Amino acid sequence: MTTPAPAVIDAADLTNFLADTFHAAGCSQAEGRRIAENLVEANLSGHDSHGVIRTPRYLGWLKAGNLFADREVEVVTDAGALMILDGGFGFGQTVGPQAVCRGMDRAKELGVSVVALRHAGHLGRIGAFAERAAAENIVSVHFVNVAGSVLVAPFGGSERRFSTAPVAIGVPGAGGAPVILDFATSLVAEGKVLVASKGGKPLPEGSLVGPDGKMSNDPSLLYGKIDPTAQPNSRNGEGALVTMGGHKGSGLAMMCELLAGALTGSGATGPGYDRIYNGMLSIYMCRDRFGAEDDYAQELRRYVDYVKSAKPTVEGGEVLVPGEPESRMRAQRTANGIPLSADAWAAISGAGQDLGITPPQPVA
Ligand code: NAD
């Protein structure tokens, strides 16, 4: 097989290709499409790290029996406003939405709900859940950890102790755009190191720390020597990612581990796990229980406009609110296609070809 050049792929073509690929690998047609749509949507939102680049890994986990097709969440505890659910290591694109739907339904009934999801396959871009809740006028807060993925050094340390433990908060837009904050507590998400290791966008300086305590942006500190023909394995590197925001981000990462890992019963990050999976503690609050929609809409708009009206630091710059970069990127990439580096496209198209699925022709 010749190595493809960097490619721009139409989002709908890419979705169809990946849906067929996951179906050929053993997922039902519905699940294959759900996974494909979720991954492509992450690329459309500009988060290539949590998009289609994950395909070979997901397929590898499925084949190895670390991830299971077509799982239904198991209800461990149903105590009204609190539900504890076990994802049974099913695809995060399946058990994640199941947990979110249950949490939203319960919040609509009671005003508020808390859902502890344990043992979920990789949940991808957590902000997608916050967007889904916001679209139904529900405020949501999500704390996530990734047991088995010890990648991040605590503040002041040069050895890994945390996962990239993301947090997402979504506030409904009251007829306008919602405000969606969604980030990894590491300075950069692991997937961004994956993208950089495959020739994509380089990492900001100081994203990683070496075993000697020196800051760097070299992906090999996470993956060891980069071999373009092999899947990078984060267990091979000697360094660590650093947290965002110094001691504050380090504290937030620790809370994600305790809330999403320890409290849910999913397990806080550490050595000795043979799988990469997510735990997630989510809180859902029905917006309409907090007062009149018009008052909220007016105050939200006033405040968003007030924030955005701050004088930019650079001439021609602009203040954005969380969620804006993603919605702008979605509009642009839906129209023009999704750009993928040569390595990423080779790995993704090759994974489909191995299962007998023909990859789409790039649009550029
Ligand atoms: P990031 O650093 O790109 O930050 C994204 C957040 O910052 C968004 O809310 C975005 O709207 C906001 N933002 C970006 N630029 C902005 C600007 N100029 N002005 C105002 N706001 C701005 O995100 P990240 O840390 O690289 O995380 C990427 C994705 O990785 C997230 O979707 C996260 O959920 C996901 N993730 C998932 C897992 C998992 O295990 N499932 C683990 C880690 C990260």
Side-chain angles (χ1 to χ4, degrees), residues 266-277:
S266 198
T269 299
Y273 289 96
D274 56 359
R275 296 187 155 91
I276 307 284
Y277 66 92

Side-chain angles (χ1 to χ4, degrees), residues 28-355:
S28 66
Q29 242 161 7
E31 180 168 72
R33 181 145 293 274
R34 200 161 47 237
I35 298 166
E37 285 175 354
N38 174 271
L39 294 178
V40 168
E41 196 275 337
N43 286 89
L44 287 175
S45 306
H47 291 288
D48 297 341
S49 58
H50 285 69
V52 298
I53 200 168
R54 299 269 165 172
T55 302
R57 274 192 189 178
Y58 284 8
L59 292 172
W61 291 339
L62 183 64
K63 201 169 167 191
N66 287 328
L67 182 62
F68 298 101
D70 295 292
R71 281 274 149 111
E72 186 74 33
V73 287
E74 181 202 332
V75 180
V76 179
T77 300
D78 186 344
L82 170 67
M83 271 179 286
I84 303 173
L85 305 174
D86 195 317
F89 305 107
F91 270 94
Q93 287 76 7
T94 292
V95 298
Q98 286 172 2
V100 172
C101 285
R102 282 171 186 259
M104 292 197 304
D105 287 350
R106 198 54 64 88
K108 284 176 194 166
E109 195 186 323
L110 301 175
V112 63
S113 72
V114 177
V115 176
L117 174 64
R118 57 172 77 151
H119 307 146
H122 188 251
L123 291 164
R125 190 176 77 87
I126 306 304
F129 300 140
E131 284 163 5
R132 194 167 174 155
E136 297 207 29
N137 212 17
I138 293 174
V139 176
S140 69
V141 182
H142 310 264
F143 298 97
V144 174
N145 87 323
V146 204
S149 180
V150 200
L151 297 176
V152 185
F155 183 69
S158 61
E159 282 183 322
R160 306 176 185 196
R161 291 293 183 270
F162 303 142
S163 64
T164 52
V167 177
I169 304 174
V171 169
V179 181
I180 307 288
L181 180 66
D182 169 33
F183 57 75
T185 47
S186 50
L187 187 59
V188 295
E190 189 245 319
K192 296 213 159 113
V193 191
L194 184 65
V195 170
S197 78
K198 290 187 172 295
K201 193 174 168 196
L203 298 171
E205 202 45 64
S207 306
L208 295 129
V209 58
D212 52 5
K214 290 213 174 81
M215 296 298 174
S216 169
N217 73 342
D218 178 0
S220 70
L221 278 175
L222 204 64
Y223 297 124
K225 195 170 176 314
I226 307 293
D227 172 0
T229 62
Q231 265 303 302
N233 184 342
S234 61
R235 291 185 173 154
N236 293 340
E238 292 185 339
L241 287 166
V242 300
T243 60
M244 55 106 193
H247 63 284
K248 301 181 189 184
S250 185
L252 189 55
M254 177 128 194
M255 287 305 178
C256 285
E257 295 292 347
L258 293 176
L259 295 175
L263 191 64
T264 60
S266 198
T269 299
Y273 289 96
D274 56 359
R275 296 187 155 91
I276 307 284
Y277 66 92
N278 283 142
M280 176 164 77
L281 185 84
S282 303
I283 304 164
Y284 301 92
M285 293 167 268
C286 257
R287 215 299 311 150
D288 59 15
R289 307 287 176 105
F290 285 79
E293 192 71 11
D294 284 355
D295 294 348
Y296 167 71
Q298 203 180 351
E299 188 60 357
L300 176 84
R301 281 300 125 219
R302 182 198 69 76
Y303 190 64
V304 167
D305 291 347
Y306 177 56
V307 170
K308 288 182 65 61
S309 70
K311 185 176 170 229
T313 48
V314 289
E315 178 121 358
E318 185 187 0
V319 174
L320 302 177
V321 292
E324 256 190 311
E326 286 78 9
S327 68
R328 286 186 184 184
M329 188 62 93
R330 268 195 289 273
Q332 194 247 313
R333 287 189 170 179
T334 302
N336 303 326
I338 294 172
L340 295 168
S341 72
D343 274 0
W345 182 228
I348 297 158
S349 56
Q353 279 168 324
D354 288 348
L355 290 160

